[in-house]
Amino acid sequence: MLLQNRAVFALGLRMCSTNAMRGPVVDTTRPNSDMSEFRKLFSKAKHIAIITGAGVSAESGVPTFRGENEKWRKWQSQDLATPEAFSRTPSRVWEFYHYRRELALRKRPSAAHLAIAECEARLKKQGRSVVVITQCIDDLHHQAGSKHVLKVHGSLMETRCVSCGEVTVNKRSPICAALKDKGAPDPDVADAQIPVDKLPRCNERDCRGLLRPNVVFFGETLDSHILTKVEKEMETCDLCLVVGTSSIVYPAAMFGPQIASRGVPVAEFNTHTTPKTEYFTHHFQGPCGTTLPPALARHESEVI
């Protein structure tokens, strides 16, 4: 099994040490940017895994919540996205996620999202497969038309009941009446302090439990069912693309290097190099919406 130590994955969503991946790699030479060479690999690949991060959605206008967007009001995002914060101040955390949901609901897929979806649909007709393994919690891959998407960090467009555990797709805007026009990120905006019984509630019969966003909070373990599917894709893919991710968020930062460690070509598409660039065979620098479409376009060898 590629993911031999599942305990590493249980460390949760956001361990950011860039020293977590050490040991031998297949090729430590500088990755190249020869698109024609990559296209030859692409033309022969039968099972393609595309690992995407926040950079893909940033090109749609979704903030990455790092750098200048790292704060919401006076709080760091990572201090709000925790089980403890939700338990202490569910109204504040729901305002934060309501703001993020409303932002995401207004955005449209980027050129990179669309290129991935078109490639998946086209290759499926040829008996080939494309899987998207994404760290993004928006719905933009699905909006673009991608069908085979594994969301390792959950989804803003789903809720989970803290009482009965029911998970439901929920794209209502606003998600509940009390959150209408709430969630402004400005530091001088006061908390709405919404009573807990007015926050999103479960619709399951005789439950009415408090709902939470179905995302992985800091410090929580990832969904073991999703990880099992990711592991299978990592073991069977014969080409991997790492797109728009800083490769510092664990465990997802391990995926590309783990695939490369078994001799599979891995191409990175990003606006800059990352701590994992040295592990990959190819690196294409620039906006994903510019570099990815020609990489995934129909190859002259394809018969449709």
Side-chain angles (χ1 to χ4, degrees), residues 9-247:
F9 282 77
L11 290 177
L13 174 55
R14 296 161 173 101
M15 290 175 54
C16 294
S17 168
T18 59
N19 296 317
M21 281 297 300
R22 293 296 184 213
V25 294
V26 173
D27 186 357
T28 58
T29 60
R30 184 178 179 86
N32 72 54
S33 57
D34 186 335
M35 182 61 76
S36 62
E37 180 183 301
F38 171 80
R39 293 283 289 166
K40 290 177 183 176
L41 296 170
F42 171 75
S43 71
K44 299 173 183 176
K46 301 297 184 183
H47 306 288
I48 302 172
I50 303 179
I51 300 166
T52 67
V56 175
S57 293
E59 293 184 22
S60 289
V62 178
T64 62
F65 293 95
R66 291 187 180 276
E68 63 181 19
N69 298 307
E70 196 164 4
K71 277 195 172 184
W72 177 85
R73 294 182 185 167
K74 61 183 179 181
W75 292 280
Q76 297 286 337
S77 298
Q78 65 185 28
D79 294 331
L80 293 170
T82 69
E84 296 78 15
F86 188 75
S87 178
R88 289 193 306 266
T89 55
S91 174
R92 179 186 298 159
V93 175
W94 256 121
E95 277 199 86
F96 170 64
Y97 276 102
H98 176 66
Y99 166 66
R100 297 187 68 175
R101 278 172 53 92
E102 294 297 304
L103 269 178
L105 284 167
R106 293 194 299 267
K107 303 306 180 183
R108 294 293 177 264
S110 67
H113 289 114
L114 295 171
I116 292 169
E118 190 280 332
C119 180
E120 178 188 349
R122 190 181 77 247
L123 297 194
K124 183 178 180 180
K125 296 176 182 177
Q126 304 170 26
R128 302 160 69 191
S129 69
V130 173
V131 60
V132 178
I133 301 169
T134 188
Q135 301 170 73
C136 300
I137 59 175
D138 54 57
D139 197 46
L140 293 173
H141 278 300
H142 279 123
Q143 279 192 46
S146 292
K147 305 298 183 185
H148 193 184
V149 181
L150 299 177
K151 300 178 181 180
V152 296
H153 294 165
S155 173
L156 277 173
M157 304 308 159
E158 294 177 355
T159 55
R160 184 166 84 245
C161 178
V162 300
S163 296
C164 73
E166 181 71 15
V167 174
T168 305
V169 174
N170 189 323
K171 299 182 182 180
R172 290 197 301 270
S173 176
I175 192 170
C176 69
L179 281 166
K180 181 176 173 60
D181 299 324
K182 300 297 191 296
D186 308 282
D188 58 345
V189 174
D191 285 359
Q193 297 185 346
I194 300 167
V196 71
D197 63 328
K198 301 298 183 183
L199 292 172
R201 311 297 296 192
C202 182
N203 288 324
E204 285 298 296
R205 187 175 181 180
D206 300 325
C207 182
R208 295 296 297 163
L210 177 64
L211 297 179
R212 55 163 279 180
N214 189 36
V215 298
V216 180
F217 286 152
F218 286 92
E220 291 185 323
T221 60
L222 304 190
D223 186 322
S224 61
H225 299 293
I226 295 295
L227 287 179
T228 297
K229 293 178 181 179
V230 169
E231 181 177 272
K232 180 179 179 181
E233 298 297 340
M234 290 172 62
E235 290 174 338
T236 58
C237 71
D238 53 4
L239 178 65
C240 175
L241 286 68
V242 179
V243 184
T245 174
S246 59
S247 292

Side-chain angles (χ1 to χ4, degrees), residues 242-279:
V242 179
V243 184
T245 174
S246 59
S247 292
I248 60 173
V249 176
Y250 284 80
M254 295 170 59
F255 295 167
Q258 287 277 18
I259 292 169
S261 72
R262 62 182 186 86
V264 174
V266 180
E268 182 179 55
F269 295 76
N270 211 326
T271 54
H272 51 78
T273 58
T274 73
K276 299 297 182 285
T277 301
E278 64 181 298
Y279 291 86

